[in-house]
Amino acid sequence: EDQVTQSPEALRLQEGESSSLNCSYTVSGLRGLFWYRQDPGKGPEFLFTLYSAGEEKEKERLKATLTKKESFLHITAPKPEDSATYLCAVHPGDYKLSFGAGTTVTVRA
Amino acid sequence: DTGVSQDPRHKITKRGQNVTFRCDPISEHNRLYWYRQTLGQGPEFLTYFQNEAQLEKSRLLSDRFSAERPKGSFSTLEIQRTEQGDSAMYLCASSSNPTNNEQFFGPGTRLTVL
């Protein structure tokens, strides 16, 4: 069975304090790993798809990387508007996504 | 706005009542998914449509739940005889690419069963 584990559960950062979120996964035949951002009371917002080990993608202050067993979401010099829950999901090759529980990031000014 | 839309955004009902939610996917997306999300958890898959055909249902989807996508466009999710455990955010997503399966989510419908 596919398993996705995200750590830490919560992360409190000072504005400008860079950090990383971890997503470790167990899946047979990974077809893609996704990162989403979710604000309170809203649906997940698509950020990145990673397909193979060694791949990296960037968007503003966010950079996602992928290895064979885990993915990292690096937040560089975060701002308060980066506060959100970040969700990781795997696509094992069928139709659904299997999500982790998320990491809630709070950035204080 | 050409994103996924859901209606209503919030629904409060009493235990035992029936509720129905609607999802309008991104235009021309032939794949549509329903997920359920409870507080502190990630979304959990409920069911999947390709065009009008419902191709898979999770074991989370009890007999009280039914979903339709009659013309391959919008979809409805009905819950009969609601229970307090049905309280959750119900999310709809759509995609067009079967290879990478990038799914785009709507804003969700928050259901509270009293």
Side-chain angles (χ1 to χ4, degrees):
Chain A
E1 186 176 324
D2 306 330
Q3 282 195 321
V4 181
T5 303
Q6 293 190 245
S7 62
E9 290 185 8
L11 190 60
R12 294 175 65 86
L13 300 172
Q14 199 68 33
E15 184 172 4
E17 178 188 1
S18 301
S19 189
S20 295
L21 285 56
N22 178 266
C23 170
S24 61
Y25 61 90
T26 303
V27 64
S28 55
L30 181 72
R31 294 278 294 274
L33 184 140
F34 300 81
W35 283 98
Y36 288 84
R37 169 192 170 126
Q38 186 172 30
D39 293 308
K42 297 187 177 181
E45 175 190 346
F46 174 78
L47 292 173
F48 304 109
T49 309
L50 301 167
Y51 297 103
S52 58
E55 187 175 3
E56 298 182 351
K57 287 195 177 173
E58 290 189 62
K59 180 179 181 179
E60 296 182 356
R61 294 175 293 282
L62 302 177
K63 183 169 84 171
T65 62
L66 181 65
T67 72
K68 288 185 178 179
K69 293 185 177 181
E70 57 191 350
S71 177
F72 293 93
L73 184 66
H74 308 278
I75 309 179
T76 302
K79 299 182 177 181
E81 53 262 42
D82 295 321
S83 298
T85 295
Y86 292 87
L87 295 165
C88 168
V90 296
H91 170 37
D94 54 11
Y95 37 81
K96 69 177 185 282
L97 299 182
S98 296
F99 282 85
T103 294
T104 299
V105 174
T106 304
V107 182
R108 296 166 291 175
Chain B
D1 190 312
T2 56
V4 178
S5 61
Q6 293 186 246
D7 183 70
R9 295 292 310 278
H10 303 274
K11 179 71 176 179
I12 300 174
T13 191
K14 293 183 179 180
R15 189 175 52 189
Q17 297 295 304
N18 299 344
V19 294
T20 300
F21 310 142
R22 176 180 170 125
C23 170
D24 287 88
I26 293 172
S27 179
E28 296 179 358
H29 276 193
N30 62 340
R31 296 169 175 236
L32 187 147
Y33 312 80
W34 285 98
Y35 291 81
R36 180 171 69 187
Q37 186 177 26
T38 54
L39 197 62
Q41 299 300 314
E44 294 177 293
F45 170 78
L46 293 178
T47 191
Y48 156 62
F49 289 86
Q50 184 168 327
N51 299 311
E52 66 276 9
Q54 186 175 19
L55 297 186
E56 185 65 28
K57 295 196 298 184
S58 164
R59 59 181 179 274
L60 293 176
L61 216 63
S62 75
D63 291 343
R64 297 184 297 103
F65 289 69
S66 62
E68 294 183 341
R69 193 182 183 198
K71 296 183 180 179
S73 57
F74 73 92
S75 175
T76 58
L77 178 67
E78 181 183 15
I79 309 175
Q80 296 182 326
R81 305 181 303 282
T82 52
E83 302 173 355
Q84 288 186 326
D86 296 331
S87 296
M89 174 79 89
Y90 289 84
L91 293 162
C92 176
S94 69
S95 71
S96 62
N97 190 328
T99 302
N100 64 28
N101 203 22
E102 288 179 355
Q103 296 182 17
F104 297 89
F105 284 81
T109 294
R110 168 71 66 190
L111 173 65
T112 301
V113 182
L114 302 176

